[in-house]
Amino acid sequence: MSAGATRAYELLIQRSRERGLLESCATLLEWDEETYMPLEGVEHRSRQRALLAGLLHDRLADPVIGELISEIDLERMGPFERVDVEEIARLHRRHLKIPRTLVEEIARTATIAQHEWAAARRAQDTERLRPHLERIVDLKRSEATALHDGRPDREPYDALLEEFEPAARARDLASLFLALKSDMRPLLDEIRGSTRSKNAGIDVLQRQFPVELQRRFVEDAIATVGFDVRRGRLDTSAHPFCAQIGPGDVRLTVRFLAGDLSEGLYSALHEAGHGLYDQGLDPERWGTPTGDAPSVGLHESQSRLWENFVGRSRGFWAHFFPKAQSIFRPVLDDVDLDGFHAATNRVAPSASRARADMVTYDLHILVRFELERALISGALEVRDLPAAWDEAYEHHLGLRPDHAGEGSLQDGHWASGLFGYFPTYTLGNLIAAQLYLAAQRKVGDLESAFAAGDLAPLLDWLRTHVHRASHLRPASALVQSATGTPLSHHAFTAEVKRRLSSIYGL
Amino acid sequence: MSAGATRAYELLIQRSRERGLLESCATLLEWDEETYMPLEGVEHRSRQRALLAGLLHDRLADPVIGELISEIDLERMGPFERVDVEEIARLHRRHLKIPRTLVEEIARTATIAQHEWAAARRAQDTERLRPHLERIVDLKRSEATALHDGRPDREPYDALLEEFEPAARARDLASLFLALKSDMRPLLDEIRGSTRSKNAGIDVLQRQFPVELQRRFVEDAIATVGFDVRRGRLDTSAHPFCAQIGPGDVRLTVRFLAGDLSEGLYSALHEAGHGLYDQGLDPERWGTPTGDAPSVGLHESQSRLWENFVGRSRGFWAHFFPKAQSIFRPVLDDVDLDGFHAATNRVAPSASRARADMVTYDLHILVRFELERALISGALEVRDLPAAWDEAYEHHLGLRPDHAGEGSLQDGHWASGLFGYFPTYTLGNLIAAQLYLAAQRKVGDLESAFAAGDLAPLLDWLRTHVHRASHLRPASALVQSATGTPLSHHAFTAEVKRRLSSIYGL
């Protein structure tokens, strides 16, 4: 590259890193909001977040970004550098289309609405949330329209989806969801017809597990899978999440319930999966696009992989069940490894996404995907959402929620302004299965290593093929490269069937 | 005012509020750093803080600020609005003199140095801190020189002092300190000669007080003095502080020691004093100069007032001692109110500022004031600081620290870049005494109200005459207005003498 082009690239990256720093301040604000912020701090917090959102927007929309990019010769760059420039260019074009006032208003409104949602959910009162959610939907429709720009091959919802999953289209996702549903519904019927279905339903995970002991158990588990607590921490919050503040500062939150071991344990393994990804990213690239994951769905693949394909495997429990028995003594004294392992794989459809099993989980996502797509297109209005929610559950899962708290108030994503986010959960599930099976083909019998308490072979493989491969974009290209097969639902179906067949004797 | 001048004022205030918002993000980062940030997060945090410091500097140094101010007619403004404009103008002129790179470098270096200081103190190793402190002193000398601008009537140190205490001058402070010392040293000798001196030294506060019980006691105490926990919170940190994030979000930190009730209790009352000030500020003025205290010394007056003049009064303990006896049963069963009250007023010179009594506290500050003035003038170098520290203690307090952790490594202020901050502690002590006595003259017998658990009369008086009087500047003008007398050491000397005379039978 010419000296000028090199200089332009360096200046672009410097701006990207500065933006990353500022964004990481916003991430700390979000983390604090869910963990330690006092009740009356929310109004001020909404202003802080609006300001930072506005400043971040200005940086991406800055005309200097466009000028610097035009000086760079993409053909003469390395694979990481090239992706960095292309990705910054994409974000620049995106932000040029949205006014700063809209960005600020969404941040401000969403911060308030998120807290109103939590109160509305506790009160099971959809009317309390309605005006806030209407405002958010209005704002997100404006954003979608501005971003969509009238392109005939896309729908406005696609523009929101792009924020989390740059290459995804609603039309393709709809086909994928239906294909997956046509695999899962018959499997669900088979399991329900199994003679072992009742026994596997014995709720050994729903006994009394003192929270302090759960914390010890979970801390041991996340350290064993490889999460470095010197470079992170574990807190509790009403809704578990992972926040990447910086290369040495990755924070997980979980929720413990004394009467349900799976709540704390699986939220911890899930968030630790995100945390392992963040701790595995190249710190030298921090603040550049290739210093982060190519998509939210790919990030989610790591949480799903550790939560479900590791954390519900027999090998994992061969190592951890004796530890659980010992820590929680005498609560699990009458349970054996097989019974415990079966309980962690219990299939039982319910109205709750957070407590869903591997067979029905993506049907919950399908419901949300269809509803949010309709909310953004205008086919559905917020006032009709509670009824539409219940009908969609009847249609896809064959059951109806008992009350609004388990119905349309169940998740806070929409109140937080997250539209187009839910599909990343299902993409994560599918990718997780593909990666897990590919790792197994390459590394050898993973479960034997788990049984010996050795999670490193799997993590090492993921470090190389996923965490340090952020130049492979879109996410589907990384999946193809890492697994040798295109992104699809086949691996997920096959692996879920294989696991549940042995447990349920199908 | 003309429409143009009104518009200019509004734009100026809008910018001030935005800057306040951004500054409050930096405050949250600082709070997090001392409470929850993981060990390896410090490097990234130093970059975040440098960026925010740079952005904040740019906003104050922005030429638009100067232009807006020039359009405003000060003569036609209300008292609050006028002070807002004058104060923004002062900060604007100040920041025009410092380059952004220096501001960023100080923020980045100080974040690292602060953490190195904590490690050096634990290791009692002055050499570990030395290179970091040398760098900070270099940077602060550059800042002082840039700000001082060669004015013959000021010394460079004054320019640093101005950040915390706008109207103070080192020369005047030196006289004040010596006058105070000449009152305190004879008082100290008298107390040492008292026959009650030995009995008052019985360490009833240094028994074993379980930390969880201390927390309950302290939470009750800070709620009783009027701190609203819905608009704040209480955490623990190695070094107690108060962080004002926003009008509904004021956070205190304390440090509990199982073997010393006074540590947790008095750090809590101290920080709650700061918190009461912050919670008493007019939320409508948040983000403008008059939405905050006129000076750090005045802010400190509130922490000192609640810690010492309330929290060591007999009236306070008439209410709280039975509670303490009950919560800590049986630890205080053999102690009576008079004995406990005397213990909270124990005078015993030591090398530790944090544990100093009311008589010797300001001698500790005098040591620091002289040393930091010499560090900034160049009369003292960092390599010579440990020895100079010990000699100054010998000179002013008549004792020498046992080791570096109790010597020059005792406080983290300098490592954090705080030069010119220490004198605000003594100003706070003096102002606290003046305000307390003035309140007593106006409101009536405060201690009788305390004894009935009623702290509201004092707080109400402070709300009116201090917390909502931020237009009275400099701090000395507010003191004059609230108390009817000029800022001096006389009230402090009189009140400390009066209290200790009855306890020590002088």
Side-chain angles (χ1 to χ4, degrees):
Chain A
M1 272 201 295
S2 70
T6 305
R7 180 79 188 128
Y9 172 76
E10 281 165 4
L11 287 173
L12 192 69
I13 291 304
Q14 187 188 319
R15 281 173 176 257
S16 176
R17 287 186 197 273
E18 257 196 38
R19 200 190 66 87
L21 269 181
L22 198 56
E23 196 165 40
S24 72
C25 297
T27 307
L28 184 73
L29 264 61
E30 288 177 48
W31 172 85
D32 177 73
E33 211 172 302
E34 301 296 323
T35 49
Y36 297 108
M37 186 183 77
L39 216 54
E40 300 289 327
V42 64
E43 175 67 32
H44 184 74
R45 182 57 46 88
S46 76
R47 294 177 208 266
Q48 289 176 310
R49 286 187 58 185
L51 175 66
L52 291 184
L55 293 177
L56 287 165
H57 170 78
D58 279 356
R59 280 163 187 261
L60 274 173
D62 190 335
V64 172
I65 299 286
E67 289 161 22
L68 289 172
I69 289 170
S70 71
E71 291 172 36
I72 295 170
D73 180 5
L74 277 182
E75 299 306 315
R76 310 190 65 171
M77 312 201 75
F80 282 87
E81 290 72 18
R82 185 175 172 154
V83 166
D84 280 340
V85 177
E86 285 172 343
E87 187 63 10
I88 294 170
R90 184 179 73 77
L91 294 170
H92 175 58
R93 288 191 303 271
R94 188 174 167 84
H95 279 260
L96 281 178
K97 295 180 194 165
I98 339 173
R100 172 173 172 159
T101 48
L102 180 61
V103 170
E104 287 179 325
E105 187 60 12
I106 289 174
R108 205 190 60 73
T109 311
T111 306
I112 305 282
Q114 204 174 341
H115 286 261
E116 287 297 319
W117 161 74
R121 189 187 180 191
R122 280 193 299 274
Q124 304 179 8
D125 179 2
T126 54
E127 275 306 294
R128 172 160 185 174
L129 180 63
R130 192 176 51 76
H132 299 279
L133 196 53
E134 280 173 347
R135 182 88 190 107
I136 294 277
V137 168
D138 270 355
L139 292 166
K140 295 301 283 189
R141 281 176 183 167
S142 301
E143 186 188 346
T145 306
L147 289 167
H148 175 240
D149 228 2
R151 287 182 60 168
D153 58 329
R154 310 254 175 106
E155 54 186 281
Y157 174 80
D158 285 338
L160 301 184
L161 196 55
E162 190 198 316
E163 186 176 347
F164 312 108
E165 210 55 43
R169 302 283 171 273
R171 198 188 44 216
D172 305 335
L173 288 177
S175 311
L176 188 66
F177 272 115
L178 293 180
L180 186 58
K181 181 182 174 187
S182 71
D183 282 352
M184 291 300 129
R185 284 301 300 256
L187 178 60
L188 182 59
D189 292 338
E190 251 192 292
I191 290 168
R192 280 171 155 169
S194 152
T195 52
R196 293 199 207 160
S197 192
K198 274 189 186 131
N199 291 334
I202 301 296
D203 297 333
V204 299
L205 292 163
Q206 280 76 47
R207 294 177 174 178
Q208 286 298 313
F209 298 90
V211 165
E212 268 319 299
L213 299 183
Q214 286 194 50
R215 188 188 299 272
R216 271 177 47 203
F217 183 65
V218 155
E219 283 172 352
D220 175 50
I222 65 174
T224 304
V225 302
F227 184 78
D228 180 355
V229 286
R230 279 175 57 93
R231 297 191 294 140
R233 46 178 296 122
L234 179 73
D235 293 274
T236 57
S237 70
H239 307 282
F241 64 97
C242 171
Q244 190 211 145
I245 313 291
D249 191 350
V250 175
R251 307 186 184 189
L252 319 178
T253 76
V254 300
R255 177 171 65 170
F256 293 110
L257 291 181
D260 190 349
L261 181 60
S262 63
E263 184 82 27
L265 172 67
Y266 285 107
S267 65
L269 285 175
H270 179 100
E271 302 309 336
H274 283 301
L276 288 171
Y277 197 157
D278 288 341
Q279 290 190 336
L281 292 164
D282 184 354
E284 294 300 314
R285 305 205 71 82
W286 201 92
T288 72
T290 55
D292 207 344
S295 85
V296 172
L298 194 67
H299 216 299
E300 189 72 11
S301 78
Q302 301 304 284
S303 57
R304 298 282 153 186
L305 187 150
W306 291 95
E307 175 189 3
N308 291 328
F309 294 105
V310 177
R312 300 183 202 274
S313 70
R314 202 176 179 290
F316 181 86
W317 287 111
H319 177 71
F320 279 103
F321 180 64
K323 290 188 167 205
Q325 271 192 319
S326 157
I327 283 184
F328 298 115
R329 184 139 287 155
V331 181
L332 296 171
D333 282 4
D334 63 331
V335 184
D336 66 8
L337 172 57
D338 283 331
F340 191 86
H341 174 231
T344 66
N345 284 278
R346 187 183 170 215
V347 175
S350 80
S352 162
R353 175 186 68 83
R355 287 192 292 280
D357 53 73
M358 288 216 274
V359 178
T360 54
Y361 189 91
D362 298 296
L363 303 176
H364 292 266
I365 301 303
L366 171 54
V367 166
R368 288 153 177 78
F369 165 66
E370 289 184 351
L371 293 174
E372 67 180 13
R373 197 179 176 194
L375 281 169
I376 296 302
S377 77
L380 177 66
E381 294 301 334
V382 170
R383 66 174 174 275
D384 302 319
L385 177 62
W389 180 285
D390 293 357
E391 280 157 32
Y393 262 82
E394 180 78 59
H395 178 64
H396 289 304
L397 283 109
L399 55 85
R400 296 181 86 91
D402 287 338
H403 57 79
E406 287 285 272
S408 67
L409 291 175
Q410 189 178 134
D411 288 315
H413 298 61
W414 294 334
S416 311
L418 297 175
F419 287 82
Y421 191 98
F422 278 119
T424 67
Y425 289 142
T426 288
L427 291 171
N429 277 332
L430 308 189
I431 298 170
Q434 282 186 261
L435 291 171
Y436 185 83
L437 293 180
Q440 183 139 278
R441 282 195 303 274
K442 302 286 166 51
V443 178
D445 182 16
L446 293 174
E447 291 206 31
S448 300
F450 299 167
D454 188 6
L455 286 297
L458 174 59
L459 182 56
D460 288 346
W461 188 88
L462 292 168
R463 287 265 186 266
T464 308
H465 294 89
V466 181
H467 307 171
R468 292 289 173 112
S470 288
H471 60 300
L472 298 172
R473 304 209 176 195
S476 55
L478 189 153
V479 172
Q480 172 82 48
S481 160
T483 69
T485 51
L487 198 167
S488 83
H489 64 295
H490 301 306
F492 181 80
T493 297
E495 181 64 6
V496 169
K497 261 192 185 162
R498 189 190 67 75
R499 290 176 173 227
L500 296 177
S501 293
S502 79
I503 290 168
Y504 282 95
L506 306 182
Chain B
M1 273 201 294
S2 71
T6 305
R7 180 78 187 129
Y9 172 75
E10 282 166 3
L11 286 173
L12 192 69
I13 291 303
Q14 187 187 319
R15 281 172 176 259
S16 176
R17 287 186 195 274
E18 258 197 38
R19 200 190 67 88
L21 269 180
L22 198 56
E23 196 165 39
S24 72
C25 296
T27 307
L28 184 72
L29 264 61
E30 288 176 49
W31 172 85
D32 177 73
E33 211 171 304
E34 300 296 323
T35 50
Y36 297 109
M37 186 184 75
L39 216 55
E40 299 290 327
V42 64
E43 174 67 33
H44 184 75
R45 182 56 47 88
S46 75
R47 294 176 207 266
Q48 290 177 309
R49 285 185 59 186
L51 175 67
L52 291 184
L55 294 176
L56 287 165
H57 170 77
D58 279 356
R59 279 165 187 261
L60 274 173
D62 190 335
V64 172
I65 299 286
E67 290 161 22
L68 289 171
I69 290 170
S70 70
E71 291 172 35
I72 296 171
D73 180 6
L74 276 182
E75 299 305 314
R76 311 191 64 171
M77 311 200 77
F80 283 86
E81 291 71 19
R82 186 175 171 155
V83 165
D84 280 340
V85 176
E86 286 172 343
E87 186 64 8
I88 293 170
R90 184 180 71 79
L91 293 170
H92 175 59
R93 286 192 304 272
R94 187 173 168 86
H95 279 261
L96 282 178
K97 295 180 193 163
I98 339 173
R100 171 172 172 161
T101 47
L102 180 61
V103 170
E104 288 179 325
E105 187 59 12
I106 289 174
R108 205 190 60 72
T109 310
T111 306
I112 304 282
Q114 203 173 343
H115 286 261
E116 288 297 319
W117 161 73
R121 189 188 180 191
R122 280 192 299 274
Q124 305 178 9
D125 179 1
T126 54
E127 275 303 296
R128 172 161 184 172
L129 180 62
R130 192 177 50 77
H132 298 280
L133 196 53
E134 280 173 347
R135 182 88 190 106
I136 295 278
V137 168
D138 270 355
L139 292 166
K140 295 301 284 189
R141 282 176 182 167
S142 300
E143 187 189 344
T145 306
L147 288 168
H148 175 239
D149 230 2
R151 289 181 60 167
D153 58 330
R154 310 257 175 104
E155 56 185 280
Y157 175 80
D158 285 338
L160 301 184
L161 195 56
E162 190 199 315
E163 184 176 348
F164 313 109
E165 210 54 45
R169 302 283 172 273
R171 198 189 43 217
D172 305 334
L173 289 177
S175 312
L176 189 66
F177 272 114
L178 293 180
L180 187 58
K181 182 182 173 186
S182 71
D183 283 351
M184 291 299 129
R185 285 298 300 257
L187 178 60
L188 182 59
D189 292 339
E190 253 193 288
I191 290 169
R192 280 172 155 168
S194 152
T195 51
R196 294 199 206 160
S197 193
K198 275 191 186 128
N199 293 333
I202 302 296
D203 298 333
V204 300
L205 292 162
Q206 280 76 48
R207 294 177 174 179
Q208 286 298 311
F209 299 91
V211 165
E212 269 318 300
L213 299 183
Q214 285 195 49
R215 187 187 299 273
R216 270 176 48 202
F217 183 65
V218 155
E219 282 173 353
D220 175 48
I222 66 174
T224 305
V225 301
F227 183 79
D228 180 355
V229 286
R230 279 176 56 93
R231 298 191 293 139
R233 47 179 295 123
L234 178 73
D235 293 273
T236 56
S237 70
H239 308 282
F241 62 97
C242 170
Q244 190 211 145
I245 314 291
D249 191 349
V250 176
R251 307 186 184 189
L252 319 178
T253 75
V254 300
R255 176 171 65 171
F256 292 110
L257 291 181
D260 189 349
L261 182 59
S262 63
E263 183 83 27
L265 173 66
Y266 286 108
S267 65
L269 284 175
H270 180 99
E271 303 309 336
H274 284 301
L276 288 172
Y277 198 157
D278 288 340
Q279 290 190 336
L281 292 164
D282 185 353
E284 295 300 313
R285 305 206 70 83
W286 200 93
T288 73
T290 55
D292 207 343
S295 84
V296 173
L298 194 68
H299 216 299
E300 189 71 12
S301 78
Q302 300 304 284
S303 56
R304 298 282 152 184
L305 187 148
W306 292 95
E307 175 190 2
N308 292 327
F309 294 103
V310 177
R312 299 184 203 274
S313 70
R314 202 176 180 292
F316 181 86
W317 286 112
H319 177 72
F320 279 103
F321 179 65
K323 290 188 169 206
Q325 273 193 318
S326 157
I327 283 184
F328 298 115
R329 182 137 290 154
V331 181
L332 296 171
D333 282 4
D334 63 331
V335 185
D336 66 8
L337 172 57
D338 283 332
F340 191 87
H341 173 231
T344 66
N345 284 278
R346 188 183 168 215
V347 175
S350 80
S352 162
R353 175 185 68 83
R355 286 193 293 279
D357 53 72
M358 289 215 275
V359 178
T360 54
Y361 188 91
D362 299 295
L363 302 176
H364 292 266
I365 301 303
L366 171 53
V367 167
R368 287 153 178 79
F369 165 67
E370 289 184 350
L371 292 174
E372 66 180 14
R373 197 179 175 193
L375 280 169
I376 296 302
S377 77
L380 178 66
E381 293 301 334
V382 170
R383 64 172 175 276
D384 301 321
L385 177 61
W389 181 284
D390 292 357
E391 280 156 32
Y393 262 82
E394 180 76 59
H395 178 65
H396 289 305
L397 283 109
L399 54 86
R400 297 181 87 90
D402 287 337
H403 56 79
E406 287 284 274
S408 67
L409 290 175
Q410 189 179 135
D411 287 317
H413 299 60
W414 293 334
S416 310
L418 297 175
F419 287 82
Y421 190 98
F422 278 120
T424 67
Y425 290 142
T426 288
L427 290 172
N429 276 332
L430 307 189
I431 298 171
Q434 282 187 258
L435 291 172
Y436 186 84
L437 292 180
Q440 185 141 276
R441 283 196 301 274
K442 302 284 168 50
V443 177
D445 183 16
L446 293 174
E447 291 205 33
S448 300
F450 300 166
D454 188 6
L455 286 295
L458 174 59
L459 182 57
D460 289 344
W461 189 87
L462 292 169
R463 287 266 186 266
T464 308
H465 295 89
V466 181
H467 306 171
R468 293 289 173 110
S470 289
H471 60 300
L472 298 172
R473 305 208 176 194
S476 55
L478 188 153
V479 172
Q480 172 80 49
S481 160
T483 69
T485 50
L487 198 166
S488 82
H489 64 294
H490 301 306
F492 180 81
T493 297
E495 181 64 6
V496 169
K497 263 192 184 161
R498 190 190 66 77
R499 289 176 174 226
L500 296 177
S501 293
S502 79
I503 290 170
Y504 283 95
L506 304 183

